[in-house]
Each structure stands twice: as C-alpha cells, then as structure tokens.
Amino acid sequence: MAAVFLGYAVILAVEMVAAAMVNLNDAAPRAHAAQWMAAWWQEVRVAPLVFAWRQPFCWRQLPDSVEGRASQRAVVLIHGFVCNRGFWLPWMKRLRALNVPYVSLNLEPVFGSIDEYVPLVDAAVARATALTGQAPTLICHSMGGLAARAWLASSTDAVARIDRIITIGTPHRGTWLARFSRLNNGRQMRHDCDWQQDLLSRELLLHSRRNADRFVCWYSNTDNIVFPASTATLPDADNRLVAGAPHVALAFHPRVMDESLAMVASGSSSPSERTAS
C-alpha cells in the first residue's frame, strides 16, 4: 500500500510539472511554486479518498431523491472520466441538508464514446424535471461537462429543458494530457481534436450559438489533468478561476461548492470572476 501511495504521489508530481510547463504560454494567471506544491499535497490527500473509498465502496450510500418541491429546482450530477456517482457524496450530503432534490448517473460504458452518454444524460434530466416540474441545473465534473454539451447538442429542445450548466474542470477545448490516451473518450478529450471541433459545429448548427450564457465554468491554474488552464473555460461564459486547486480537489473546493449551491438554491448568480478565453 505504501508503494502504491508513493507511486501515485510521484505520478501526480509529474503531472503537476507538465501542467506548469504547458501553462507558461496560457492566458490564465500563472501559479507560483508554492501554489503548485500546495495543489500537489491537496490531490495526494483527496484523490485516493475518492478513487479508493467513495467510488468503489460508497457509491450506493446516498440514493437519488424520489420527491421534490415545485419551488425548488433539482440538480443533475454528472461525474467525469473513470468515475461513478460516488464521486458526488459530499455534494449529495450538502444538497440533502438544503432540501434540494438531486439525480445522479453512472456514465457507461466507462471507456466508450462521449456521445454514448447522451441517452443517460437525457434520462437523468427527465427524472430531475419530474421531481419538481422545473428545468434542473446540471453540475458536471471534468468529462461530465462534455457529456452535458453533447446532450445539449443532440436536440433543439435540450437547452429549454435546463436552467444552467455548471462545469468544474471540464476540458471544453480538450487537454494536453489526453494526447497519451488510446481510449475512445480519452481521444475525444485531446486538445482541439476532430471530435471537439465536431461538437462545436453541432452546437452552432443546432442552436446558432453555444448558449454560453447558460454555463458557469470553474477552472484552476494548477489543474493537473486539464491544461492549458484556459481550456476549461468557454468564450462568453461565466468563467470562474480558483487559483491553486488541483483537478479532483477543485470539485470539493469550498468556494466552488458554496457558490454553486447558492446558485441552485436561489436561482441567481453570485459575483463572478470572469476571464477572457
């Protein structure tokens, strides 16, 4: 176990160094060495808890909501690459405390095409809408944001069925790290790859615009998976920078959770930190 943990920590360090080098030419504010060290330590502690405990052993612990109130929008939780609904346990606990109904899903096949997730997202949105009669908010981590966009580009009425989409560390324009993947969905996350360009074309063809006003995009200048950092933003969206947060821990950052849940609970956005993309 010690050897596995040490090996994981070394891999994270390599990812951090690669991200720091690639980010040198990115528009996002440059992180200093202390921020990278702090981000590495956060991920060393948080990621094993997610991947070695919550997802394999606790993913059924908190079932989806079975009822809701007409005055409260429901939430659809969409996880990222090689994850499952157990990723969202801290969010589920907060949503329950706020009496906000939620629906989650497992993106399967795990290594399939992102386009294969569209029916799963569609069914989850339908279930969430049935709980309250209102269009739900989608909260997505990493690849989950691309699954949400693929669903949004799948039909002309999809945009009318949701309130907004909150993405956390989503490779909206791919990520440098995906160049090493040989998996279907991994290849689709390569920086500005054919699938990414096709998705943009489908969005523009179907909706004439990206519907960027519906998106809140959380990103970090120390994300060890999605980099260059600004690839996690969308032009004209509400892009919010959280400096010094790594990829997995970004999803559980207090500011990300607090402001996102405030938007869900109130239906209004709080002051944002915007950046040009």
Side-chain angles (χ1 to χ4, degrees), residues 139-206:
I139 300 180
C140 320
H141 180 246
S142 196
M143 184 187 71
L146 294 178
R149 284 179 57 197
W151 169 77
L152 203 63
S154 68
S155 68
T156 54
D157 70 336
V159 69
R161 294 174 57 195
I162 53 101
D163 178 49
R164 76 181 80 207
I165 298 177
I166 300 172
T167 66
I168 306 167
T170 288
H172 286 296
R173 284 173 286 154
T175 171
W176 182 91
L177 199 60
R179 65 181 59 197
F180 302 108
S181 179
R182 297 297 180 267
L183 304 168
N184 287 336
N185 44 11
R187 291 196 303 268
Q188 290 170 329
M189 289 186 282
R190 291 176 181 174
H191 187 50
D192 287 333
C193 67
D194 290 344
W195 185 87
Q196 297 267 341
Q197 296 301 318
D198 179 65
L199 175 61
L200 175 58
S201 297
R202 283 184 282 151
E203 289 173 322
L204 296 176
L205 179 65
L206 202 61

Side-chain angles (χ1 to χ4, degrees), residues 9-28:
V10 170
I11 291 171
L12 278 178
V14 172
E15 291 175 351
M16 296 285 181
V17 171
M21 296 298 293
V22 173
N23 281 345
L24 290 176
N25 298 316
D26 191 60

